[in-house]
Amino acid sequence: MKFKFKKSVNLLLACLTALPLMLTPTNVSAASDANINLSSEKQVIRGFGGINHPVWVGDLTAAQRETAFGNGQNQLGFSVLRIWVDPNPNNWALEVATAKRAIEKGAIVFASPWNPPSSMVETFNRNGDTNAKRLRYDKYAAYAQHLNDFVTFMKNNGVNLYAISVQNEPDYAHDWTWWTPQEILRFMKENAGSIQGTKVMAPESFQYLKNISDPILNDPQALANMDILGAHLYGTQFSNFAYPLFKQKGAGKELWMTEVYYPNSDNNSADRWPEALDISYHMHNAMVEGDFQAYVWWYIRRSYGPMKEDGTISKRGYNMAHFSKFVRPGYVRVDASKNPDTNTFVSAYKGDNKVVVVAINRSTSAKSQRFVLQNGNASTVSSYVTDSSRNLASLAPINVSNGAFTAQLPAQSVTTFVANITGGNGGGNVGTGTTYEAETGTTLTDAVIETAYPGFTGSGYVNFNAYTGSAIQWNDINNTITGTKNVKFRYALESGTRTLDIYVNGTKVLSNEPFTQTGSWSTWGEKTIQVPMNSGTNTLRIVTTGTEGPNIDNITVTAAS
């Protein structure tokens, strides 16, 4: 059995160099309120998860799939699964069972290759290493077809991939295939556009080194062919999590953290405390400092992972679950006082008319922390804590008074607070956003207006009517400035997952965007996407890619801050 051992002495030195900076709190201030501004939206969250790698460490069992992707008691609530693109197509079927079950549980699946097929690889001299591997320059088109073939295989076996990556860690390829920034750029410009049926991800740098992604962002054609900028965070200092160039150039693109283990991969380290608390602290920084939309661990099941080898959830896993179980796909991070007290760290999210606050106390003493809800209110707050002796333990409800509540944060703990929002902006829209009904001012193609199921707004909702290529187009979406916009869909879907292509001003900006089940046709859920729009009047068109879509009630369009 082949196992992946990461990383070499060079990375170890990088981690040791970065560790003092990682463990030193930034922006420390005197104890103050943690203000949660529900009107100040940040990034849309795609989800949290990890990789399943049957060839290297064995497949998840049926029971372990439920633990990973279910969201009940003693389950992780993961909503993202990463799988491996084996260079040998004869092994592709090994990925299907877990991927299908993850999708059935509401997760999205993406894939990363380590190597092309051997017929496409050559060796070369890289800094004295004469056995270094790279993709042959005359095989770029063939490699793109190899990735297409994987997408098609998975789709034919019931797995619609959300995205496929061009290469895992092209800049740390001692055991796989090297790519220079110029080679990645060439592939993204000349070949990535031929990959169909899913989003394209690049470059998955092992340490979020910007020199390999800057050229993509600075080249209009390469950028047009990249849907998701993927990055790994091995040894990356928190001060390097921010990416100003992506904020400048990446309108309509997604930003994902697609692999890490943290703080180490020591055998049987998954339950060490307070070491495991570092995972939620790392996730906090990825969300708040890095603005990542997804956070993907390395192996789901491993002796140092979120699930131990016996299939039970570890302390590391419970720290991840403080985000993954409550911050669901389509939720939006909102502004919060990220460091209201020494060693106290706070992030906040909203969706489904809820606010979710994750508070981490890295101090060795308990803290009393006051939380203030702005532009929204609640009556009571549920809370769940993990510390040295408890795992996601449910605590007594906390009353909210005048939009504020005070909670005790135990020493070396992570606590998640959840509340239903009343008034203000709890459902995912900024106060200046505009709601557009699906049945009014739209152009419908093979779709019909209905009123059969209750709970809709306006005069009805739109049913796609079981046609492929059925569409709704909003014709008059008005914006004052050009930039990235949040589009929140209000929709209903009894069961399963259905996908839509999204077009803005006639250009496809998202492919096979998944809409997961809401439970019944009269249960209206929400999903937020991010797209680029111009100042003035814009069109937004959504088109079925299968034989059906969800029922659409309305959209709300807001500026993404």
Side-chain angles (χ1 to χ4, degrees):
M1 183 68 68
K2 180 180 180 182
F3 296 91
K4 184 182 181 191
F5 292 98
K6 301 184 64 155
K7 300 285 186 188
S8 73
V9 173
N10 289 335
L11 180 56
L12 178 60
L13 291 174
C15 292
L16 292 174
T17 301
L19 195 59
L21 291 172
M22 289 178 173
L23 299 182
T24 301
T26 57
N27 299 319
V28 173
S29 61
S32 60
D33 292 345
N35 295 312
I36 314 299
N37 187 351
L38 294 165
S39 287
S40 181
E41 294 190 343
K42 305 300 180 181
Q43 74 269 32
V44 177
I45 304 302
R46 287 285 170 245
F48 306 86
I51 195 171
N52 181 51
H53 209 314
V55 173
W56 286 358
V57 294
D59 198 1
L60 296 179
T61 68
Q64 289 164 0
R65 293 167 192 152
E66 302 305 303
T67 300
F69 302 105
N71 202 20
Q73 188 173 6
N74 297 319
Q75 295 177 328
L76 285 163
F78 281 176
S79 50
V80 179
L81 170 65
R82 187 185 187 210
I83 61 175
W84 184 43
V85 183
D86 196 306
N88 182 356
N90 292 328
N91 292 329
W92 289 353
L94 297 173
E95 307 293 338
V96 171
T98 293
K100 284 185 67 173
R101 188 56 182 156
I103 289 175
E104 290 169 357
K105 301 296 287 185
I108 56 178
V109 179
F110 77 101
S112 298
W114 270 245
N115 286 299
S118 58
S119 61
M120 301 180 191
V121 175
E122 65 182 4
T123 58
F124 71 108
N125 188 332
R126 182 184 184 277
N127 301 327
D129 178 8
T130 58
N131 291 315
K133 295 187 297 183
R134 70 183 175 200
L135 177 65
R136 285 170 47 182
Y137 288 170
D138 62 341
K139 295 295 185 181
Y140 278 36
Y143 181 55
Q145 186 57 51
H146 169 72
L147 299 180
N148 264 323
D149 290 345
F150 184 83
V151 173
T152 300
F153 176 88
M154 296 304 290
K155 183 174 184 178
N156 290 342
N157 285 274
V159 178
N160 288 319
L161 290 178
Y162 187 83
I164 192 164
S165 173
V166 171
Q167 172 66 48
N168 171 77
E169 296 181 348
D171 51 346
Y172 192 88
H174 303 280
D175 297 320
W176 45 90
T177 309
W178 292 98
W179 296 63
T180 66
Q182 293 72 31
E183 289 164 350
I184 285 278
L185 178 63
R186 175 194 157 188
F187 185 88
M188 293 306 298
K189 290 176 64 174
E190 299 178 8
N191 305 101
S194 68
I195 300 172
Q196 301 296 314
T198 192
K199 295 176 173 62
V200 175
M201 176 186 291
E204 289 202 279
S205 165
F206 85 104
Q207 204 176 30
Y208 203 13
L209 301 180
K210 311 303 193 297
N211 69 309
I212 198 166
S213 48
D214 280 354
I216 300 172
L217 293 171
N218 285 319
D219 186 285
Q221 184 57 52
L223 182 59
N225 291 333
M226 182 189 74
D227 302 297
I228 303 173
L229 197 157
H232 299 178
L233 295 179
Y234 288 105
T236 311
Q237 299 178 25
F238 293 162
S239 60
N240 289 330
F241 278 16
Y243 199 174
L245 186 64
F246 181 85
K247 284 187 174 293
Q248 178 187 350
K249 299 288 186 71
K253 310 298 180 179
E254 298 184 30
L255 183 63
W256 287 28
M257 198 294 293
T258 56
E259 185 188 316
V260 79
Y261 56 70
Y262 186 88
N264 56 55
S265 60
D266 296 350
N267 285 336
N268 301 310
S269 60
D271 284 328
R272 287 183 193 155
W273 195 265
E275 183 180 278
L277 187 63
D278 284 342
I279 282 79
S280 55
Y281 179 51
H282 193 261
M283 295 175 75
H284 164 88
N285 281 279
M287 297 293 109
V288 173
E289 305 297 342
D291 291 303
F292 286 106
Q293 296 174 256
Y295 186 99
V296 184
W297 188 260
W298 180 221
Y299 294 122
I300 291 175
R301 186 197 64 226
R302 207 75 179 116
S303 68
Y304 54 86
M307 183 189 297
K308 293 179 289 188
E309 298 292 354
D310 64 0
T312 59
I313 298 173
S314 68
K315 281 287 192 181
R316 289 185 175 188
Y318 280 112
N319 271 260
M320 288 190 70
H322 273 270
F323 291 85
S324 59
K325 288 180 69 69
F326 305 100
V327 184
R328 303 303 294 166
Y331 280 35
V332 179
R333 186 173 74 85
V334 296
D335 191 47
S337 303
K338 63 183 180 181
N339 187 202
D341 194 7
T342 304
N343 282 320
T344 301
F345 302 90
V346 173
S347 63
Y349 312 82
K350 67 177 181 180
D352 295 330
N353 293 308
K354 297 177 182 177
V355 59
V356 178
V357 179
V358 183
I360 301 161
N361 177 14
R362 302 182 76 228
S363 171
T364 54
S365 59
K367 300 282 189 75
S368 179
Q369 180 63 55
R370 185 170 183 260
F371 299 86
V372 180
L373 302 178
Q374 300 173 337
N375 300 303
N377 207 341
S379 57
T380 59
V381 176
S382 301
S383 58
Y384 309 84
V385 67
T386 295
D387 57 14
S388 61
S389 62
R390 294 173 290 185
N391 296 321
L392 265 178
S394 179
L395 304 177
I398 303 171
N399 291 324
V400 180
S401 177
N402 296 320
F405 66 95
T406 299
Q408 302 302 308
L409 306 180
Q412 296 178 321
S413 70
V414 54
T415 308
T416 298
F417 303 94
V418 183
N420 292 318
I421 297 300
T422 57
N425 299 293
N429 59 301
V430 175
T432 56
T434 302
T435 298
Y436 301 86
E437 295 294 337
E439 74 280 5
T440 304
T442 52
T443 300
L444 305 182
T445 303
D446 291 330
V448 295
I449 299 170
E450 290 183 350
T451 58
Y453 296 102
F456 56 82
T457 61
S459 58
Y461 58 87
V462 173
N463 182 343
F464 284 108
N465 215 23
Y467 286 105
T468 301
S470 178
I472 308 170
Q473 178 167 304
W474 287 266
N475 298 308
D476 296 298
I477 298 174
N478 292 296
N479 298 307
T480 57
I481 59 173
T482 298
T484 299
K485 309 298 176 183
N486 290 336
V487 179
K488 181 187 68 176
F489 290 87
R490 189 172 191 265
Y491 74 97
L493 177 58
E494 185 174 53
S495 60
T497 298
R498 296 179 180 180
T499 60
L500 300 174
D501 286 345
I502 315 292
Y503 295 78
V504 174
N505 299 324
T507 300
K508 184 189 290 187
V509 294
L510 296 172
S511 298
N512 295 306
E513 188 67 25
F515 287 71
T516 58
Q517 63 189 26
T518 61
S520 75
W521 291 114
S522 56
T523 300
W524 297 92
E526 295 168 352
K527 173 186 176 66
T528 301
I529 63 171
Q530 290 187 321
V531 299
M533 286 189 180
N534 301 324
S535 60
T537 301
N538 296 261
T539 63
L540 178 76
R541 182 177 176 85
I542 57 175
V543 184
T544 57
T545 60
T547 58
E548 252 293 12
N551 289 344
I552 302 294
D553 184 28
N554 63 46
I555 60 171
T556 300
V557 180
T558 63
S561 59

